[in-house]
Structures are given as structure tokens and as C-alpha cells.
Amino acid sequence: MDRVAQHRKAIQTVLQRHLEIAEQNSDHSNGETYTLVDSKAENYFLLTTEVRDYQQIYGVLVHLNLTNNKIQIKANNVQDFIEDLIDLGIPETEFILPNQEPATIVS
């Protein structure tokens, strides 16, 4: 399996795992958590919605983008998400931190 395919598979596995954790910890009375995968643009999201004071609130728990054969972390508000990717064999050197520009990363 090539490196990008490994990244895709690991991201989708960890997204699903954290979706299941969120569903187990939710009473579903005023919101839900879901994944969104844009395979064409290589964007991967874990999102949450809830109703608060009669308003729909949306939140981005995780947003990752595959760029330059690396995983760019756009947003990560989930404990252990990146660690879970590392546990699945993604080396720490494969991540672009939120404050780094993809063009400055050497593959």
C-alpha cells in the first residue's frame, strides 16, 4: 500500500473510532456528531452539531487535509486523535502542524 493510501485508511479508521466514542458519550437529545470525507479534495472532518437556545451550533472537532503526501492538521480538538494515527503506523514526520505552511515542508 502506498503512503497516501495508508494515510487515507488510517484517517478514516480513526475518524470512525472517534465517531463511535462520541456517539457512546452522547444522549442525542440536542445534537449529533458525524464524519465528512471529501475524497476529491482530500479533506477529512469530524463535526458536531447541537441546538442551544433555539440555534443550530456547528463545531469542527477534527479537520485534516492530505497535501504534499503529508497529513496537514487544520484543526484538532479531540484528545488522542493524532496519537491514534501514530499508533496505526503514521510516523510523526508525516504531520504538518496547523502553524506550518505546506510549501515549507520537504517530503
Side-chain angles (χ1 to χ4, degrees), residues 4 8 12 36-44 65-67:
V4 174
R8 282 186 195 112
Q12 291 180 4
L36 176 64
V37 174
D38 176 358
S39 55
K40 185 175 181 180
E42 298 285 12
N43 283 292
Y44 302 86
N65 176 260
L66 288 178
T67 185

Side-chain angles (χ1 to χ4, degrees), residues 88-101:
L88 287 178
I90 306 296
E92 289 183 36
T93 56
E94 294 296 298
F95 295 97
I96 302 170
L97 301 177
N99 59 345
Q100 289 179 293
E101 291 293 323

Side-chain angles (χ1 to χ4, degrees), residues 30-34 36 46-52 55-61 77:
N30 65 342
E32 63 182 316
T33 304
Y34 55 96
L36 176 64
L46 184 62
L47 303 167
T48 185
T49 64
E50 68 177 271
V51 176
R52 193 180 313 153
Q55 291 186 332
Q56 188 75 34
I57 309 294
Y58 295 91
V60 177
L61 300 175
N77 299 301

Side-chain angles (χ1 to χ4, degrees), residues 58-100:
Y58 295 91
V60 177
L61 300 175
V62 174
H63 176 196
L64 303 176
N65 176 260
L66 288 178
T67 185
N68 297 336
N69 297 320
K70 303 245 181 188
I71 300 172
Q72 185 173 23
I73 304 165
K74 299 283 195 169
N76 179 23
N77 299 301
V78 175
Q79 185 176 350
D80 297 330
F81 194 92
I82 301 304
E83 290 81 1
D84 288 348
L85 289 171
I86 292 168
D87 289 346
L88 287 178
I90 306 296
E92 289 183 36
T93 56
E94 294 296 298
F95 295 97
I96 302 170
L97 301 177
N99 59 345
Q100 289 179 293

